[in-house]
Amino acid sequence: MAQRSSGEGTGSAAGSPRPGGFPSGRELIVIAKSETGLRARPEGVTSVTGTDVVPLRDLLASEGATLQPLFGASEERLTAEADRLATTGAEEVPDLSVYYRVEGPEERLDDLAESLRQMDEIEAAYVKPPAELPTQATVQPTKPTRFRLNQLAPAAAESPAATPNFTARQDYLERAPEGIDANFASSRPGGRGADVNIIDIEWGWRFNHEDLVQNQGGIVSGTGSTDLRSENHGTAVIGEFSGDRNTFGITGISPAATVSAVSLETHSTSQAITIAANRLRPGDIMLLEVHRGGPRWPGGTTQFGFIAVEWWPDDFAAIRFAVSKGVIVVEAGGNGGQNLDDPVYDTPQTGFPPSWRNPFNPANPSSGAVVVGAGNPPAGTHGRNAQPAVGEPYVDRARCYFSNYGARVDTQGWGWEVTSTGYGDLQGGPNRDQWYTDEFSGTSSASPIVVGALACLQGFLRARGRSPLSPARAQKLLRSTGSPQQDGPGFTFTPNMSGSGYPQDYPARPATQRIGNRPNLRQLLDRVDDDDDDDDDDDDE
């Protein structure tokens, strides 16, 4: 695939321009009723329970479509894996054997989904919008302003003979509340993430970067995108927690952890989640650097209305599968400017199964993922206010105006001004292996900070011969410790920063718009170091 410069796009079947290297199509997902005993094979669909599937076979043939098990393995293997997990005491192991993906003409997917929903043997059939990187910060789509995240141009100047040490610019490593106290964690045995595996799920990375040499497993499934935008994004993400501990460049929060990737260039989101889960051990960590247009997304190029992917049934099931295996899933909350407590999210998308319940509502079953929001860094970071605002009294740990929020969001990380590998705005030149950024941002930059903090905790526990945190325990600890979220005042975009001819006002962001606390590793290590710690004490603040 030809490489494209940052921001260049191609038209997609879904109708929105998309950068080169991104899968452009929508997905038609089918959930069969378990009693149907459906089996999808290259030669066609059958039933092991004697159900008449001839109408389904004929419909697919008439549309030039095929039905494939969504999660790759045969239905029998998926059922056997669920049974095995159930014997280990895992709770709520989802039945992945009933999920299918329909391959067919894109322009026929909606009609085909409607026809499938009329069949007795089908529980659900729905069309998912394309998944995307969290790369925009647009919360007023009716106005012409488009402030884009991570649209950073590399510096033209040749990089120096020796890369400087940029760790002084990584204030997120420092003491709480400004940082997460990663430097303190690094002084504790295992506190750099030793014996912890992390898999990042998105589109592209540059594993040849000069500061990503140690403990790198590369892409373990799929093919990485050659698009510069996705490559820079993934490189910045893994740099935050996996930058080498050396005398130059940046240092990751958990540099002793082993890091690899599964590519959405090749796999769908739910497929990638299960692939990663099957490569990780209990206590290891998976990062979902992806979001998707939800009920309030107006379509087009804006990411207003984008939400965390767990809202879709197959992604929810895949996350539940990973969590049932003891894998900690860290999920970007999304940059859609959405209140996830809005009742609009209680209404299922057309074609969702009758059993579906809004996972953003804490009263309903949870995916078990750690959902991350984006908060402001300290005022004056890198000598500038992180938001392009007029006269804003800048407040650390206040919700970034683009970040999704609500009771479902567990914790926050820095949503602006993150120093990491990639992009080249801090150090550029012709060699991308020497690029560094000073302005990585979004829930994209917030989520890796949480991943790094969790890796430090798990490494510390493993170094002491103790069991790593379970997903539920990790989630509770993040919600009950840390530097509290603060109120954020309203502000006004300036015309020169917004690109429009007039200022735009954005409302105040009180701490009741929950993105949670910023992790504090000193507190977290003290908590897990207490062998007498009682889970019942880990209630939300």
Side-chain angles (χ1 to χ4, degrees):
M1 183 175 295
Q3 181 172 302
R4 290 181 168 83
S5 61
S6 175
E8 184 178 350
T10 59
S12 79
S16 63
R18 306 179 60 74
F22 282 61
S24 60
R26 301 178 299 158
E27 292 180 85
L28 171 50
I29 304 299
V30 170
I31 305 175
K33 293 179 180 177
S34 57
E35 60 268 24
T36 300
L38 195 63
R39 297 293 183 266
R41 301 290 184 265
E43 60 273 15
V45 294
T46 60
S47 168
V48 296
T49 60
T51 302
D52 181 11
V53 294
V54 171
L56 173 59
R57 189 184 306 150
D58 290 346
L59 172 64
L60 294 170
S62 69
E63 294 283 355
T66 59
L67 193 69
Q68 304 169 1
L70 177 61
F71 295 107
S74 69
E75 293 90 343
E76 289 83 2
R77 292 184 67 88
L78 291 167
T79 299
E81 174 66 4
D83 291 343
R84 186 193 67 79
L85 285 173
T87 64
T88 66
E91 297 181 3
E92 301 179 33
V93 182
D95 181 5
L96 301 184
S97 71
V98 297
Y99 287 82
Y100 297 87
R101 179 175 177 171
V102 174
E103 295 289 344
E106 203 284 336
E107 68 276 7
R108 294 290 303 157
L109 292 185
D110 295 296
D111 290 339
L112 184 52
E114 176 60 30
S115 296
L116 287 164
R117 288 194 289 269
Q118 307 308 311
M119 295 189 163
D120 290 340
E121 59 268 36
I122 300 303
E123 180 80 9
Y126 55 93
V127 179
K128 295 168 64 177
E132 297 188 17
L133 284 172
T135 54
Q136 293 186 28
T138 303
V139 295
Q140 290 188 348
T142 59
K143 297 183 179 181
T145 291
R146 294 293 183 267
F147 180 74
R148 299 175 68 85
L149 298 171
N150 303 321
Q151 304 299 302
L152 305 170
E158 182 85 27
S159 60
T163 296
N165 191 326
F166 296 126
T167 55
R169 306 185 72 80
Q170 292 180 267
D171 288 348
Y172 56 90
L173 302 177
E174 301 296 335
R175 288 189 67 116
E178 290 81 9
I180 65 168
D181 246 322
N183 290 335
F184 172 77
S186 71
S187 69
R188 307 294 295 274
R192 297 174 188 167
D195 198 24
V196 177
N197 299 305
I198 302 170
I199 291 183
D200 179 34
I201 295 177
E202 49 184 294
W203 283 264
W205 306 263
R206 195 164 188 85
F207 279 103
N208 293 325
H209 194 281
E210 65 173 6
D211 223 354
L212 297 172
V213 175
Q214 305 164 15
N215 304 315
Q216 303 299 321
I219 300 173
V220 294
S221 187
T223 302
S225 172
T226 59
D227 173 63
L228 187 57
R229 175 179 156 195
S230 62
E231 179 189 280
N232 274 322
H233 190 280
T235 304
V237 164
I238 63 175
E240 287 186 58
F241 49 76
S242 188
D244 294 344
R245 189 176 178 86
N246 51 35
T247 59
F248 64 89
I250 54 94
T251 296
I253 296 169
S254 53
T258 299
V259 175
S260 53
V262 172
S263 177
L264 296 177
E265 180 75 7
T266 307
H267 305 293
S268 71
T269 51
S270 54
Q271 289 170 339
I273 292 165
T274 56
I275 290 168
N278 285 326
R279 287 182 168 269
L280 294 171
R281 302 166 299 167
D284 287 340
I285 303 167
M286 178 192 310
L287 173 57
L288 305 181
E289 281 282 344
V290 58
H291 64 175
R292 180 182 286 115
R296 293 203 181 280
W297 178 48
T301 60
T302 180
Q303 290 189 349
F304 174 84
F306 272 49
I307 56 176
V309 296
E310 67 176 45
W311 195 75
W312 284 267
D314 57 307
D315 290 311
F316 180 90
I319 294 171
R320 282 299 317 163
F321 173 77
V323 168
S324 72
K325 299 191 75 169
V327 174
I328 297 178
V329 179
V330 177
E331 182 180 13
N335 297 343
Q338 294 298 292
N339 175 8
L340 300 181
D341 296 333
D342 190 321
V344 70
Y345 297 107
D346 291 329
T347 301
Q349 179 182 312
T350 300
F352 279 11
S355 61
W356 179 88
R357 298 293 181 270
N358 174 16
F360 300 150
N361 185 338
N364 296 330
S366 172
S367 73
V370 173
V371 177
V372 182
N376 288 339
T381 298
H382 301 151
R384 52 187 174 249
N385 278 350
Q387 289 177 177
V390 175
E392 181 194 1
Y394 196 68
V395 177
D396 183 28
R397 285 169 279 125
R399 180 178 73 85
C400 294
Y401 73 92
F402 56 81
S403 178
N404 292 339
Y405 61 94
R408 178 65 184 89
V409 183
D410 296 300
T411 187
Q412 65 165 291
W414 278 29
W416 303 98
E417 299 291 336
V418 171
T419 302
S420 188
T421 44
Y423 288 102
D425 54 289
L426 178 59
Q427 176 175 289
N431 186 348
R432 301 203 302 275
D433 290 336
Q434 298 169 357
W435 280 9
Y436 294 83
T437 180
D438 228 12
E439 298 186 70
F440 192 42
S441 52
T443 54
S444 294
S445 65
S447 300
I449 288 177
V450 175
V451 167
L454 288 169
C456 293
L457 283 175
Q458 302 292 56
F460 173 77
L461 288 168
R462 283 184 168 148
R464 293 172 64 87
R466 293 175 56 190
S467 297
L469 299 174
S470 68
R473 176 78 168 137
Q475 190 177 44
K476 288 180 179 180
L477 283 171
L478 289 168
R479 293 177 77 100
S480 63
T481 64
S483 304
Q485 179 181 348
Q486 300 196 84
D487 294 332
F491 65 96
T492 302
F493 267 122
T494 62
N496 65 322
M497 291 299 293
S498 69
S500 67
Y502 56 87
Q504 291 187 24
D505 295 326
Y506 285 83
R509 290 147 291 134
T512 53
Q513 296 179 349
R514 180 185 170 88
I515 57 169
N517 300 338
R518 177 181 295 160
N520 179 334
L521 272 166
R522 192 180 297 259
Q523 284 184 1
L524 287 164
L525 288 166
D526 286 346
R527 182 71 69 87
V528 300
D529 199 23
D530 183 358
D531 290 336
D532 296 326
D533 185 32
D534 184 354
D535 283 359
D536 292 337
D537 292 337
D538 294 330
D539 296 325
D540 291 356
E541 289 187 337

